[in-house]
Amino acid sequence: MSNETILIVDDNRQITDFLGIELLPDLGYQSLVAHDGERALELVRAHQPDLMLLDFQLSDTTGLNVLRQMASEGLSMPAILMTAEGSEQIAVDAFRLGVQDYLIKPIDADSLCTAITRALTETRLHREKAKLTAQLKQQVTWLTVLSRVGQSVTSILELNQVLRRIVEAGVFLTQAEEGFLALLDGQSGQLFLRAVKNIDQDEIRTLRLQVSDPLVGRVINTGSPVRMTRGAKGEALKVSTGLLVHSLLYVPILSKEEVLGVLSVDNRFNERAFTEMDEKLLTSLADYAAVAIENAQLYEHAQHEIIERARAEEQINASLREKEVLLKEIHHRVKNNLQVISSLLNLQSDYVSDQQALKVLQDSQHRIRSMALIHEKLYQPQDLGRIDFAEYIRDLAAYLFRSYNAGARAITWSIEADDVFLGIDSALPSGLILNELISNSLKHAFSPDMDKPSGWVGQIRVELLTNDDHMMTLIVTDNGAGLPAGLDFRNTTSLGLQLVNTLVDQLDGTIELVGSSEGTTFKITFAAW
C-alpha cells in the first residue's frame, strides 16, 4: 500500500467523490479534497501532498492562479492540470508553472492512472537522486575528515595533539555530544584519560574509568566494540560516577591484537542512538590512534638510539638507520591507509546505482591510488626523500589503462621520459596532474561515435623532459576527438581540470593547451626539485 497522498482540487463534487472515494483508494493512494483554490492552498501548506490533480476553472479562481500563488510561497509539488476548455496558451502557461501533465475533460480512468503513475515516478526519481546526492556528500565529508586525521598521524609526532584530533573527529563524524580517549597503563592495569572533547575540567577530575567496569571492562577484555542505548524502562547508562548518558559507543584501540585503550563517544542529553556506521567510523579512528601510538613509540625509540649512539660514528650510522626504518614505516602506513580508503570506496560502489555518483567514487579511487603509489615508491629505494618519476609514470599509466580497459578499446600508450628524481612535494601534485590528464583522455577522447579512418589506433603519449636549469616539461597528448569547441579549460565545471589548474599553481608552473579536432595536448612546465 502506497503512503503517497494526492490532493484533488475540483469544484465538481461528483468528480471529487469518484476520485477521492473510489479511484485513488483502489490504486493504493491516500487523498485530500478541496473544492476551491483557497482551501487547496490551505491543504498544500498543511500537508504537502505528493501530487495535485488540479481543475483549471474553480469557483473562486483558476488552477493557474493557484500554481502562481504556490510558486510565490516557495511551495513545490507535481501537478496534473484538468480542463474542459483546453487551449494552446493555457497549456503553455501550465507547463511554465511546472505542471507535469495536461488532460482534457472528460478524462477516462486509464488515462488519469497513467498520468498519475508517470508524475509520481518522476517525483520518486528526483527524491532518490537527492537522497543519493546527500549520501555522497556525507561520504565525501567522512573521507575528508579521515584523510586529515591520517595526515595528522603521519605529520605530527606530538602524540597528545594527534589523539585530541582523533577524539574531535570522532565526536564530529558520529554527531555525538562528547567523547574521550583513554589508554591502558600496562603496569597498573588502569585506564588514564589522554584526550577529551566537550567534557569540562570538573567532570574530568571526577571521571574514573575502571577496568572492572562492566562496559569498559567488556571492551578491554574482548577487544570488541560496545554500542548501547538507554533501555525501554528509561534507565540511564553509567559512564562513571555522576556521569549518566542516553547512549554510548566504546571501541577498542588495537595494535597487533593487543588492546591499548578505549575511544568513546556518548550522548548525554540527545536521544539519538549510535548506528552501525558510527561504529565503523569510530573504529577507523581508533585504528589511526593505534598507528599514532606506534609511531610515537617508534619515534621515541629512534630518539633514544640517537642520544645513546651520539659519541661515535657507528652510533650515528645506527641512529640514521633507525630513522630510515621509521620513515619507511610511516610511508608504508600512509600507503596502507590510502589503500583502506580506496577499498572502502570500492565497497561503497557496490551499493551505488546512480551512474554519476559511481563515476565520482571511481575517480576518487584513481586519485587515491596515484597518491598511494608515491608513498609506495618512497619506501622502496635507498633514497627515501625522492622517487624515480619516470618509473612512477610507467606504473601509473599501466594501472589507469588496466582500470579503463584501454586494450580492449584499441587504445595504446607510449612514454618517453628522462631520468628524473622528484621529492614528495613535487611528486604528489605531478602524479595527480598525470592521473587527471590520462584519465580524461581515456574517458572522453575516444568516443565510440567518432569518425575513425581505416587502420586508426587510439594513442596516448606522455613525455617528460628536463633541462640544465632544473626545469621539467610534462606533455600529455592524445589523438582523440579533441576538446569541445569554445571550452575554456582554465574556467570549467570539470573537477578534473579544476584540480589540474590548482596543482599547476601549487607547483608554481605553467600550463598550455594545444587542442584540435584530431587530438589534445597539455604541456606543463615547472621547476623540478
Side-chain angles (χ1 to χ4, degrees):
M1 179 67 71
S2 172
N3 289 322
E4 292 165 313
T5 301
I6 298 177
L7 170 61
I8 308 163
V9 186
D10 199 309
D11 54 9
N12 187 320
R13 293 184 180 272
Q14 288 183 335
I15 293 176
T16 57
D17 288 346
F18 169 70
L19 294 177
I21 299 174
E22 298 181 27
L23 181 63
L24 295 183
D26 286 345
L27 296 175
Y29 300 113
Q30 301 179 34
S31 63
L32 297 170
V33 174
H35 295 107
D36 55 56
E38 183 178 354
R39 179 56 178 165
L41 289 170
E42 291 176 358
L43 291 175
V44 168
R45 297 184 191 108
H47 299 281
Q48 297 182 342
D50 298 286
L51 176 65
M52 179 164 57
L53 302 180
L54 178 62
D55 188 22
F56 173 72
Q57 189 62 52
L58 300 171
S59 60
D60 60 344
T61 184
T62 67
L64 295 183
N65 286 335
V66 172
L67 293 173
R68 292 189 184 100
Q69 182 61 33
M70 288 172 56
S72 70
E73 296 181 23
L75 301 171
S76 176
M77 74 177 59
I80 297 173
L81 186 66
M82 305 179 296
T83 177
E85 300 177 359
S87 71
E88 183 177 341
Q89 186 58 47
I90 292 176
V92 170
D93 292 342
F95 285 117
R96 283 178 177 172
L97 290 170
V99 166
Q100 300 289 101
D101 217 331
Y102 180 82
L103 302 177
I104 303 296
K105 292 182 178 180
I107 304 168
D108 64 88
D110 290 340
S111 298
L112 182 58
C113 291
T114 300
I116 290 173
T117 300
R118 184 165 53 243
L120 288 177
T121 298
E122 185 172 343
T123 301
R124 295 179 196 123
L125 289 174
H126 282 303
R127 288 174 179 171
E128 183 66 19
K129 181 179 179 181
K131 179 181 177 182
L132 290 172
T133 300
Q135 289 176 348
L136 181 60
K137 288 181 179 179
Q138 185 181 48
Q139 290 160 5
V140 170
T141 300
W142 292 341
L143 292 173
T144 301
V145 173
L146 290 174
S147 176
R148 289 175 180 172
V149 173
Q151 292 173 359
S152 300
V153 169
T154 56
S155 62
I156 301 175
L157 293 173
E158 209 287 301
L159 181 59
N160 287 333
Q161 183 179 354
V162 176
L163 297 182
R164 283 195 300 272
R165 290 192 179 185
I166 288 172
V167 174
E168 290 170 358
V171 170
F172 173 77
L173 290 178
T174 62
Q175 303 177 45
E177 292 180 340
E178 58 194 19
F180 63 82
L181 186 150
L183 296 182
L184 185 64
D185 180 68
Q187 294 182 347
S188 66
Q190 297 299 311
L191 283 164
F192 293 93
L193 286 177
R194 293 295 299 270
V196 299
K197 176 66 176 177
N198 297 338
I199 302 178
D200 61 40
Q201 291 298 319
D202 291 338
E203 291 175 327
I204 291 173
R205 283 192 290 268
T206 61
L207 187 58
R208 297 290 182 266
L209 300 171
Q210 303 294 331
V211 177
S212 58
D213 178 86
L215 298 180
V216 175
R218 190 194 310 176
V219 177
I220 298 297
N221 295 326
T222 65
S224 300
V226 169
R227 175 161 48 100
M228 298 187 68
T229 304
R230 177 180 295 186
K233 296 181 180 180
E235 305 92 341
L237 301 173
K238 179 180 177 182
V239 175
S240 180
T241 301
L243 180 53
L244 304 179
V245 301
H246 176 82
S247 57
L248 59 81
L249 173 59
Y250 290 165
V251 298
I253 301 172
L254 296 170
S255 175
K256 300 174 183 177
E257 299 184 356
E258 177 187 357
V259 179
L260 304 180
V262 175
L263 178 59
S264 167
V265 291
D266 63 69
N267 288 315
R268 196 183 306 193
F269 306 106
N270 188 347
E271 295 185 356
R272 177 183 177 272
F274 293 108
T275 65
E276 184 178 354
M277 180 54 71
D278 293 329
E279 184 177 315
K280 291 180 180 178
L281 290 170
L282 203 64
T283 300
S284 297
L285 290 170
D287 291 340
Y288 278 127
V291 172
I293 294 168
E294 292 172 5
N295 285 346
Q297 293 171 343
L298 287 170
Y299 180 73
E300 182 180 357
H301 179 66
Q303 291 295 98
H304 178 74
E305 289 296 323
I306 291 173
I307 294 172
E308 290 296 320
R309 303 184 185 193
R311 295 181 181 181
E313 183 176 354
E314 293 79 11
Q315 294 173 331
I316 294 174
N317 290 335
S319 68
L320 289 175
R321 286 193 295 271
E322 290 289 335
K323 284 186 175 180
E324 289 177 356
V325 170
L326 174 62
L327 289 173
K328 284 185 178 181
E329 183 71 9
I330 290 174
H331 284 303
H332 183 64
R333 292 183 183 277
V334 171
K335 189 266 293 185
N336 285 348
N337 289 335
L338 289 171
Q339 188 61 48
V340 168
I341 296 175
S342 179
S343 298
L344 287 173
L345 287 174
N346 188 47
L347 289 173
Q348 187 62 47
S349 299
D350 294 337
Y351 298 94
V352 175
S353 58
D354 183 84
Q355 290 301 310
Q356 185 62 30
L358 186 60
K359 289 179 180 179
V360 171
L361 290 176
Q362 291 171 340
D363 288 345
S364 298
Q365 279 186 271
H366 295 323
R367 291 171 184 137
I368 291 171
R369 174 58 182 162
S370 69
M371 292 187 287
L373 188 57
I374 293 286
H375 290 280
E376 182 177 342
K377 296 293 182 185
L378 280 170
Y379 73 75
Q380 290 175 348
Q382 293 297 320
D383 187 351
L384 294 174
R386 306 171 74 82
I387 68 169
D388 183 345
F389 203 67
E391 181 185 27
Y392 171 81
I393 292 174
R394 286 188 285 270
D395 290 348
L396 178 61
Y399 162 73
L400 291 174
F401 269 69
R402 287 194 306 269
S403 298
Y404 287 101
N405 198 21
R409 296 161 55 199
I411 303 173
T412 63
W413 57 287
S414 62
I415 295 174
E416 181 180 343
D418 294 341
D419 291 333
V420 176
F421 287 82
L422 293 181
I424 190 170
D425 290 340
S426 296
L428 271 175
S430 301
L432 284 169
I433 289 172
L434 269 174
N435 175 77
E436 296 303 325
L437 294 182
I438 295 175
S439 295
N440 278 350
S441 292
L442 289 169
K443 288 190 293 184
H444 306 299
F446 306 105
S447 169
D449 310 339
M450 65 182 291
D451 293 330
K452 303 172 185 175
S454 177
W456 179 91
V457 175
Q459 295 180 345
I460 296 177
R461 179 176 176 80
V462 180
E463 298 176 74
L464 179 66
L465 309 174
T466 59
N467 60 28
D468 295 336
D469 295 327
H470 297 288
M471 296 300 293
M472 187 169 85
T473 301
L474 185 63
I475 303 172
V476 179
T477 302
D478 67 63
N479 65 342
L483 294 179
L487 176 67
D488 181 3
F489 78 95
R490 300 180 191 276
N491 184 20
T492 175
T493 57
S494 166
L495 176 60
L497 289 178
Q498 288 179 8
L499 185 58
V500 168
N501 284 293
T502 300
L503 293 169
V504 170
D505 291 340
Q506 182 179 326
L507 290 168
D508 292 328
T510 61
I511 180 170
E512 302 175 44
L513 169 65
V514 180
S516 70
S517 61
E518 299 178 358
T520 303
T521 298
F522 281 95
K523 181 179 179 182
I524 298 102
T525 303
F526 60 93
W529 302 104

